[in-house]
Amino acid sequence: MDAVDGNAIGGLLHEVFGTEMTGAASVCGNCGDARPVAELVVYLRAPGTVVRCRTCDNVLMVFVTVHDRMCVDLQGLAVLG
């Protein structure tokens, strides 16, 4: 599976959060790595969209559409903002 950076989900993030999020700070809940969302690793062809930490590969965010509703899991993040 080919990975892209967080810029590839700029539109999705804007749809979910209602604002530009690729420049937002993120902190991995596993290793504490801090970087902008644009620098995270994104897999678009997983079951849904999966965002992982560039340092430890921890799953930070998952976006899945189920029955026309966007389901969002942010459990891997310590901080997003």
Side-chain angles (χ1 to χ4, degrees), residues 18-67:
T19 190
E20 157 54 38
M21 293 295 291
T22 58
S26 68
V27 177
C28 176
N30 185 56
C31 73
D33 183 56
R35 62 181 68 231
V37 170
E39 294 179 13
L40 299 175
V41 179
V42 176
Y43 295 93
L44 297 171
R45 296 184 183 183
T49 299
V50 177
V51 182
R52 291 182 170 268
C53 175
R54 189 163 294 279
T55 301
C56 73
D57 205 37
N58 183 45
V59 175
L60 303 176
M61 299 183 260
V62 178
F63 301 88
V64 180
T65 302
V66 178
H67 301 291

